[in-house]
C-alpha cells in the first residue's frame, strides 16, 4: 500500500511540475526571500509551537515527543496540490518543499535535540533518513519531468495539470481514510491530543500567513507560505514514531499524526472554499461595475451624438456662434 501511494503521489507531482517554469524557479533560488521565510516558519515557528502546546496542556512525555516530532517534520507534497487550488506561487511552493526536505536532514535532529530533552534523551528519537530521501526523490524527479513536459508540449501540459490537480485532491482524501481505517485501534487517546491536533494546524497556517504578510510578501506568496508552514509530512512523523517507541508507547500517541493530517486537510479545504467564494464575489462585482460603466459610456455617447446632430449653432475659435442652417454669425 505504501509503495502504491508513493507511485501515485509521484504521478500527481508530475502534473504539478507542469505548472513550474525553470526561469521562475531559478529566481526563487537566487533571491530566496520566500524560501527563507518558509524556513523560519518550518523549523522555527512550528517546533516552538509544538513545544509550547505540550507544556500548556501538560501531556505525557511520549505524547509531547510525538507532538514535537510532528512540528519538526518538513512540508509534505499535499501542500503543492492545495497551492494550485489556492492560486498560490507554484514555483515557490515546490522550491520550499524541496528545500525543507533537504534541510530536514540536519534541522530535524537539531530541533528534536533542543525541544525533546525536557522529556527524553536526545538520541532516543531515530530519524529515518531513507524516508526523507525517498520523499525528496519522489518530489524532484516527477517535477523535473513535468517541467520538461511543459517546455516541450505546453498544450499537453495544461491537460495533464487539470487531471492531476483533481486526482491529487482525491488521493489525499483516500490516504487519510486509509490511515484512519488501518489504525482505528489507536483512536482512543487522551482528549488533550485531540485538542492539540485540531488547533495546531490552524496556528501553523495563521502564523505562516501573518509572518509572510508582515515582511511584505504579495498575497499569493502569503497563501503559499501559509500552506508550506501548516501542511506537515505526517507520513514521515508516523515512520519516526514507529521506529523510536515500543508498542505500549505507540498506543498512547500513534494516532496524533493521523489527527493532525486530517485537520490540516480540513483547514486547507476551508481556505480553498473561502478563497474561491471571495474570488467569485469579486468577479461578479467587477462584472457589474464593467456593465454599468459600459452602459454609462453608451449613454454619454448617445447624448454627444444627439448634441452634434441637433445642435443649432457651431462655435468658431473666436467664440463666435454660427447657425449651421443659416450660416449667419452672432
Amino acid at each position: 500500500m505504501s509503495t502504491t501511494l508513493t507511485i501515485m503521489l509521484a504521478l500527481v507531482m508530475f502534473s504539478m511540475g507542469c505548472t513550474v517554469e525553470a526561469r521562475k524557479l531559478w529566481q526563487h533560488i537566487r533571491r530566496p526571500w520566500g524560501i527563507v521565510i518558509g524556513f523560519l516558519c518550518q523549523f522555527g515557528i512550528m517546533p516552538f509551537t509544538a513545544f509550547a502546546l505540550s507544556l500548556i496542556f501538560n501531556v505525557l512525555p511520549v505524547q509531547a515527543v510525538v507532538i514535537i516530532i510532528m512540528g519538526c517534520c518538513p512540508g509534505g507534497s499535499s501542500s503543492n496540490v492545495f497551492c494550485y487550488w489556492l492560486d498560490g506561487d507554484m514555483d515557490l511552493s515546490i522550491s520550499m518543499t524541496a528545500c525543507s526536505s533537504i534541510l530536514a536532514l540536519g534541522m530535524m535532529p537539531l530541533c528534536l535535540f533542543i525541544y525533546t530533552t525536557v522529556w527524553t534523551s536526545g538520541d532516543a528519537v531515530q530519524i529515518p533518513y531513507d524516508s526523507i530521501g525517498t520523499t525528496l526523490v519522489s518530489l524532484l524527479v516527477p517535477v523535473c519531468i513535468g517541467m520538461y513536459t511543459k517546455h516541450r508540449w505546453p498544450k499537453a501540459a495544461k491537460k495533464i495539470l487539470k487531471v492531476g490537480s483533481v486526482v491529487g485532491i482525491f488521493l489525499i482524501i483516500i490516504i487519510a481514510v486509509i490511515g484512519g481505517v488501518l489504525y482505528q485501534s489507536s483512536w482512543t487517546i487522551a482528549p488533550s491530543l485531540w485538542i492539540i491536533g485540531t488547533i495546531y494546524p490552524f496556528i501553523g497556517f495563521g502564523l505562516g500567513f501573518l509572518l509572510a504578510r508582515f515582511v511584505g510578501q504579495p498575497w499569493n506568496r502569503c497563501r503559499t507560505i501559509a500552506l508550506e508552514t501548516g501542511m506537515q509530512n505526517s507520513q514521515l512523523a508516523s515512520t519516526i514514531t514507529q521506529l523510536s517507541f515500543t508498542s505500549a508507547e505507540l498506543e498512547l500517541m500513534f494516532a496524533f499524526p493521523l489527527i493532525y493530517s486530517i485537520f490540516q486537510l480540513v483547514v486547507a479545504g476551508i481556505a480553498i472554499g473561502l478563497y474561491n467564494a471571495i474570488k467569485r464575489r469579486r468577479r461578479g462585482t467587477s462584472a457589474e461595475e464593467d456593465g454599468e460603466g459600459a452602459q454609462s459610456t453608451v449613454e454619454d455617447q448617445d447624448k454627444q451624438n444627439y448634441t452634434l446632430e441637433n445642435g443649432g449653432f457651431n462655435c468658431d475659435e473666436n467664440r463666435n456662434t454660427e447657425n449651421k442652417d443659416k450660416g449667419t454669425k452672432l
Side-chain angles (χ1 to χ4, degrees):
M1 179 64 69
S2 177
T3 303
T4 302
L5 292 176
T6 300
I7 294 172
M8 294 179 69
L9 277 174
L11 294 175
V12 171
M13 292 313 300
F14 161 68
S15 67
M16 294 295 102
C18 292
T19 66
V20 179
E21 296 181 12
R23 178 178 56 83
K24 293 181 179 179
L25 190 63
W26 178 243
Q27 288 178 353
H28 284 301
I29 296 174
R30 286 185 59 194
R31 298 179 179 178
W33 302 117
I35 296 175
V36 170
I37 296 168
F39 170 79
L40 293 176
C41 294
Q42 193 75 61
F43 297 109
I45 290 177
M46 292 301 284
F48 179 77
T49 303
F51 177 76
L53 289 172
S54 300
L55 291 177
I56 291 171
F57 285 90
N58 194 26
V59 296
L60 296 174
V62 290
Q63 295 172 340
V65 172
V66 76
I67 295 170
I68 294 172
I69 289 172
M70 190 77 248
C72 295
C73 283
S77 301
S78 304
S79 60
N80 307 128
V81 179
F82 286 111
C83 181
Y84 170 80
W85 286 101
L86 278 173
D87 294 336
D89 189 332
M90 286 298 299
D91 304 282
L92 176 61
S93 177
I94 290 176
S95 61
M96 285 179 64
T97 303
C99 289
S100 67
S101 298
I102 296 172
L103 294 171
L105 297 173
M107 291 303 300
M108 281 193 71
L110 177 61
C111 292
L112 289 171
F113 175 77
I114 293 172
Y115 291 110
T116 61
T117 50
V118 176
W119 296 281
T120 184
S121 60
D123 57 351
V125 180
Q126 300 181 35
I127 307 298
Y129 294 101
D130 54 343
S131 296
I132 298 175
T134 302
T135 301
L136 195 59
V137 171
S138 64
L139 168 71
L140 293 179
V141 174
V143 167
C144 290
I145 297 174
M147 291 170 62
Y148 177 77
T149 302
K150 181 179 181 180
H151 175 73
R152 188 70 177 81
W153 303 284
K155 292 184 179 179
K158 291 181 180 180
K159 296 179 181 179
I160 293 171
L161 177 61
K162 290 181 180 179
V163 175
S165 61
V166 176
V167 172
I169 291 291
F170 283 106
L171 181 60
I172 292 169
I173 296 173
I174 290 171
I175 292 174
V177 172
I178 291 175
V181 173
L182 289 179
Y183 301 103
Q184 56 183 337
S185 59
S186 301
W187 289 110
T188 306
I189 57 174
S192 57
L193 283 187
W194 277 99
I195 297 172
I196 295 173
T198 303
I199 65 175
Y200 193 12
F202 284 92
I203 295 173
F205 279 90
L207 292 179
F209 185 90
L210 291 175
L211 179 60
R213 194 59 190 166
F214 177 75
V215 297
Q217 292 294 302
W219 291 107
N220 64 329
R221 291 187 182 180
C222 290
R223 295 192 296 270
T224 303
I225 293 171
L227 283 171
E228 293 296 328
T229 303
M231 300 289 290
Q232 300 291 86
N233 192 336
S234 56
Q235 293 172 324
L236 180 60
S238 298
T239 302
I240 293 174
T241 54
Q242 285 178 310
L243 292 174
S244 304
F245 300 97
T246 64
S247 299
E249 291 172 330
L250 288 174
E251 291 181 0
L252 296 174
M253 45 70 142
F254 185 69
F256 181 77
L258 301 177
I259 296 171
Y260 186 95
S261 64
I262 290 173
F263 281 99
Q264 73 179 2
L265 297 181
V266 171
V267 177
I270 293 172
I272 291 173
L274 290 174
Y275 173 74
N276 284 281
I278 294 172
K279 187 167 69 172
R280 283 195 299 268
R281 182 176 180 182
R282 287 182 176 177
R283 189 180 300 166
T285 304
S286 299
E288 290 177 0
E289 291 177 352
D290 292 342
E292 291 175 358
Q295 183 178 0
S296 176
T297 303
V298 171
E299 292 176 354
D300 292 341
Q301 185 66 36
D302 290 342
K303 291 179 180 178
Q304 184 178 359
N305 292 337
Y306 179 83
T307 303
L308 292 175
E309 291 175 359
N310 298 279
F313 298 95
N314 292 328
C315 181
D316 62 14
E317 59 183 3
N318 295 321
R319 295 186 180 274
N320 294 320
T321 59
E322 177 181 359
N323 187 303
K324 68 179 181 179
D325 296 329
K326 297 180 180 179
T328 59
K329 289 187 177 180
L330 301 178

